[in-house]
């Protein structure tokens, strides 16, 4: 069933587990995620980034996401990932998204608070949950790049003020992860996660989670991370399956045959994440 991000993440927050938020761009990815969620009886968040909206168009993403959610046997939220401006957030709300991120992390604190409050005023009035970002997470997510030297870890005192002044539903924090493929092993600032959780008391979001060691993910969840964003690991699974299939079947021209194994590989990858995050059986 289609629910808000808040409904899913408040339960995760209360019961100390995390829910996967997986980036979607086409039908096969949506189907893989929903099949994984139903097979493990796990709540799940389908999310579209700037690139996903540009590639498929908001109508297709919203249409696929809502149809999938309406027919799913588990709670599903449809989320805008890294929304960069007010108008785009409003467009997604109009198309039925049940959760939106307004990513004001490129602004100074006061401006980030102001844009977040403006989005929350509208979103909450129509029952849509809101994620914001404080601190600057490195790496590249589609069209958003933060250079390593610009990475700024989230300041717990600023987080306290941010949450009090905006009433945001969940907060993406910069604690050592980065978007995209890692060159080295990411080192998470666990003390910072713990302090921000204690000081804000709301669900926390980890971006750039692909490639983070499983032990680090488990520890981050135990300290209060409740939404874990995954895009790159699904891309890796998808691409490897396609390459393998075409190596074995170079003359096959049927998209259903070519995309089928990729869908299965992504479903397996999603189920692994759901077990790791602790959301299995929580639907
Ligand atoms: O917003 C999307 C995620 O933060 C993507 O992170 O590239 O590590 O999968 P990832
Ligand atoms: Zn992200």
């Amino acid at each position: 069933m289609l629910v808000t991000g808040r409904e899913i993440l408040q339960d995760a927050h209360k019961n100390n587990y995390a829910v996967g938020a997986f980036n979607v761009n086409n039908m096969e990815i949506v189907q893989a995620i929903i099949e994984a969620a139903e097979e493990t009886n796990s709540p799940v968040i389908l999310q579209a980034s700037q690139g996903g909206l540009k590639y498929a168009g908001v109508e297709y993403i919203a249409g696929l996401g809502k149809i999938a959610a309406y027919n799913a046997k588990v709670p599903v939220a449809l989320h805008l990932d890294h929304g960069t401006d007010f108008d785009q957030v409003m467009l997604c709300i109009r198309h039925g998204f049940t959760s939106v991120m307004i990513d004001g992390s490129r602004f100074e604190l006061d401006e980030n608070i102001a844009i977040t409050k403006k989005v929350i005023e509208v979103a909450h009035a129509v029952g849509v949950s809101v994620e914001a970002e404080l601190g600057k997470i490195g790496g590249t997510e589609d069209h958003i790049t933060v250079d390593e030297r610009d990475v700024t870890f989230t300041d717990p005192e600023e987080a306290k003020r941010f949450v009090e002044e905006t009433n945001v539903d969940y907060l993406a924090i910069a604690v050592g992860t980065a978007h995209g493929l890692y060159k080295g092993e990411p080192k998470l600032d666990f003390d910072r996660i713990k302090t921000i959780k204690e000081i804000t008391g709301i669900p926390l979001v980890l971006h750039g989670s692909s490639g983070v060691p499983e032990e680090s993910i488990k520890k981050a969840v135990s300290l209060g991370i409740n939404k874990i964003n995954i895009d790159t690991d699904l891309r890796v699974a998808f691409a490897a399956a396609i390459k393998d299939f075409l190596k074995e079947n170079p003359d096959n021209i049927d998209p259903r045959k070519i995309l089928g194994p990729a869908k299965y590989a992504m479903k397996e990858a999603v189920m692994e994440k759901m077990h790791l995050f602790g959301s299995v059986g929580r639907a």
Side-chain angles (χ1 to χ4, degrees), residues 201-243:
I202 68 166
L204 299 179
V205 185
L206 195 67
H207 283 243
S209 312
S210 294
V212 174
E214 291 197 353
E215 284 320 302
S216 297
I217 292 286
K218 282 183 192 158
K219 188 163 181 184
V221 172
S222 73
L223 295 171
I225 293 289
N226 304 112
K227 175 175 179 274
I228 299 183
N229 285 18
I230 297 288
D231 189 3
T232 301
D233 278 351
L234 294 202
R235 296 183 184 189
V236 167
F238 182 90
I242 296 235
K243 286 173 194 158

Side-chain angles (χ1 to χ4, degrees), residues 18-20 36-44 74-76 274 279-283:
V19 175
E38 290 187 325
E39 203 159 306
T40 60
N41 195 32
S42 168
V44 72
V74 295
V76 180
M274 289 171 164
S279 66
V280 169
R282 300 281 190 172

Side-chain angles (χ1 to χ4, degrees), residues 5-283:
R6 182 181 170 82
E7 286 168 84
I8 288 179
L9 295 177
Q10 272 301 324
D11 188 71
H13 171 67
K14 267 206 297 294
N15 296 295
N16 198 220
Y17 63 93
V19 175
F22 302 95
N23 288 74
V24 298
N25 300 295
N26 66 17
M27 178 192 76
E28 285 76 9
I29 300 175
V30 171
Q31 290 177 325
I33 295 165
I34 296 297
E35 286 174 22
E38 290 187 325
E39 203 159 306
T40 60
N41 195 32
S42 168
V44 72
I45 297 171
L46 302 175
Q47 61 181 22
S49 65
Q50 296 298 325
L53 293 173
K54 203 172 168 66
Y55 172 75
V58 65
E59 295 83 357
Y60 274 93
I61 294 283
L64 282 167
K66 287 186 290 188
I67 288 292
Y70 292 148
N71 293 299
K73 300 182 196 63
V74 295
V76 180
L78 179 57
H79 178 72
L80 166 63
D81 186 28
H82 290 290
T84 50
D85 64 65
F86 181 78
D87 291 356
Q88 182 190 54
V89 173
M90 294 304 116
L91 179 73
C92 290
I93 290 177
R94 269 200 24 243
H95 279 83
F97 281 59
T98 57
S99 176
V100 290
M101 177 182 188
I102 177 67
D103 181 355
S105 60
R106 63 190 181 286
F107 301 128
E108 291 306 312
L109 180 59
D110 288 342
E111 205 177 335
N112 189 354
I113 288 175
I115 181 80
T116 303
K117 281 172 77 171
K118 189 177 170 197
V119 164
I120 285 175
E121 194 179 342
V122 178
H124 283 186
V126 294
V128 171
S129 322
V130 181
E131 175 185 337
E133 181 173 324
L134 189 63
K136 288 192 180 71
I137 297 162
T140 297
E141 167 68 20
D142 286 338
H143 306 298
I144 301 174
T145 295
V146 173
D147 211 281
E148 213 156 313
R149 60 174 174 275
D150 297 330
V151 170
T152 325
F153 279 27
T154 305
D155 175 311
E157 285 308 317
E158 285 191 359
K160 181 173 188 301
R161 180 187 157 203
F162 189 96
V163 170
E164 283 169 356
E165 292 191 21
T166 63
N167 189 27
V168 70
D169 294 298
Y170 20 104
L171 185 65
I173 56 176
V175 289
T177 58
H179 289 117
L181 289 168
Y182 284 105
K183 295 180 192 75
E185 183 175 301
K187 298 267 176 267
L188 272 58
D189 185 338
F190 296 111
D191 291 341
R192 195 178 295 266
I193 297 173
K194 184 170 184 292
T195 307
I196 294 170
K197 188 71 171 188
E198 284 164 358
I199 214 167
T200 62
I202 68 166
L204 299 179
V205 185
L206 195 67
H207 283 243
S209 312
S210 294
V212 174
E214 291 197 353
E215 284 320 302
S216 297
I217 292 286
K218 282 183 192 158
K219 188 163 181 184
V221 172
S222 73
L223 295 171
I225 293 289
N226 304 112
K227 175 175 179 274
I228 299 183
N229 285 18
I230 297 288
D231 189 3
T232 301
D233 278 351
L234 294 202
R235 296 183 184 189
V236 167
F238 182 90
I242 296 235
K243 286 173 194 158
D244 289 350
F245 179 84
L246 289 175
K247 203 159 57 187
E248 298 298 313
N249 311 273
D251 303 328
N252 196 304
I253 58 167
D254 184 340
R256 295 162 301 184
K257 295 273 189 307
I258 296 168
L259 288 173
K263 189 171 119 181
Y264 180 77
M266 285 189 291
K267 175 183 166 187
E268 291 294 300
V270 170
M271 288 200 288
E272 263 175 49
K273 298 293 182 188
M274 289 171 164
H275 282 283
L276 176 62
F277 300 165
S279 66
V280 169
R282 300 281 190 172

